[in-house]
Structure formats: C-alpha cells, structure tokens
Amino acid sequence: MPDSMSEQLRQDMQCEGLLECFHGLKELDKECFRALVEADEPLTVDELAEAVDRERSTAYRAVQRLLQTGFIEKDQINYDQGGYYHVYSPTDPSQIADEMQRMLNDWYAKMGQLIQEFETKYEQAESTAPTVES
C-alpha cells in the first residue's frame, strides 16, 4: 500500500470513541451529551451552558451539532400565558446504537464495492497490457 494511502487510513482511524468516529463530534459536544445523560430532566441551553461552564452561544452550537447527528432530542414547553422554550434530552441509547450499526453496515458495503471495482479495473488493465518477450 502506498505511504500516502496508509497514512490516510491511519488518520481516518484515529478517533477516541464512537461519538467522534461516527460523527466527528468535538470534545465540547461530548461534554454536553454527557451532561444531558447525567441530568435528571431535560435541560435548556442556558442550563446546559452552566453545566459545562461555557457561554450560552458556545453551548448552543454544540446542541445544534448533537441535534443534527440525532444524539439528542428537542421538546417545546409552552407557557400558560403564551410563548414557549425548548429543552433537550438524550436520544434513547439503543436508537443511537442502531443508527451507528446501520452507518457501519453502509460503510462496509461501500468499501466492499470499491474494493471490487478496484480489483476489476486493475485485473482488466493487467490482462490487456502488452507483454514484453525476451
């Protein structure tokens, strides 16, 4: 395997855990997820920011990434007098695990297809290449 390809594979596989490997989540995202898992009830962005000791805007960006990946869920709480606010809670771990398994299966199938395409392409090239006779 060429050095650049093996180096790329090493870089791709350097991840500390499932959250980072599958979704590229940052350390703050993982801290926010952990805080939501450990909370007794869903949290607002302000409560989450306080729990991870960050500014509200920073925590909000982490919440958006976690929502996008499906790791957390958002619920709307309505005030009796009108208006509302949002709270966030972790998605059911088995649902997250099922989604990661699906992603892994899709990746495995795609890699198998690419390997087969590689083999077919270069076997054909090898069989049609002119031979040099001594």
Side-chain angles (χ1 to χ4, degrees):
M1 185 180 286
D3 286 341
S4 61
M5 186 181 271
S6 59
E7 179 61 29
Q8 181 63 46
L9 283 172
R10 274 196 298 277
Q11 289 174 355
D12 289 346
M13 298 309 291
Q14 288 179 352
C15 49
E16 294 176 16
L18 288 174
L19 300 181
E20 187 178 350
C21 286
F22 278 90
H23 298 286
L25 294 179
K26 301 176 179 187
E27 188 59 38
L28 174 61
D29 304 338
K30 293 187 280 186
E31 287 177 35
C32 288
F33 182 71
R34 207 171 302 118
L36 288 168
V37 168
E38 292 170 357
D40 294 331
E41 58 188 7
L43 301 177
T44 64
V45 170
D46 290 327
E47 292 167 333
L48 186 57
E50 186 177 322
V52 296
D53 194 28
R54 299 293 175 93
E55 294 291 324
R56 183 188 197 284
S57 59
T58 303
Y60 181 78
R61 286 190 297 275
V63 163
Q64 292 308 303
R65 286 187 294 271
L66 289 166
L67 280 170
Q68 185 177 26
T69 59
F71 280 81
I72 65 172
E73 298 173 348
K74 174 171 78 170
D75 290 310
Q76 180 175 305
I77 307 296
N78 297 314
Y79 292 113
D80 292 336
Q81 64 274 23
Y84 63 89
Y85 64 98
H86 292 115
V87 293
Y88 302 90
S89 57
T91 301
D92 177 7
S94 64
Q95 187 177 338
I96 295 171
D98 288 348
E99 177 61 18
M100 286 191 285
Q101 185 64 57
R102 187 196 61 74
M103 290 174 69
L104 179 59
N105 292 345
D106 290 350
W107 179 87
Y108 185 78
K110 181 65 176 173
M111 290 302 108
Q113 177 187 347
L114 291 173
I115 290 167
Q116 184 60 50
E117 289 172 7
F118 173 85
E119 185 177 26
T120 302
K121 178 179 179 179
Y122 291 103
E123 278 183 348
Q124 288 172 354
E126 189 176 272
S127 65
T128 60
T131 58
V132 178
E133 295 182 15
S134 326

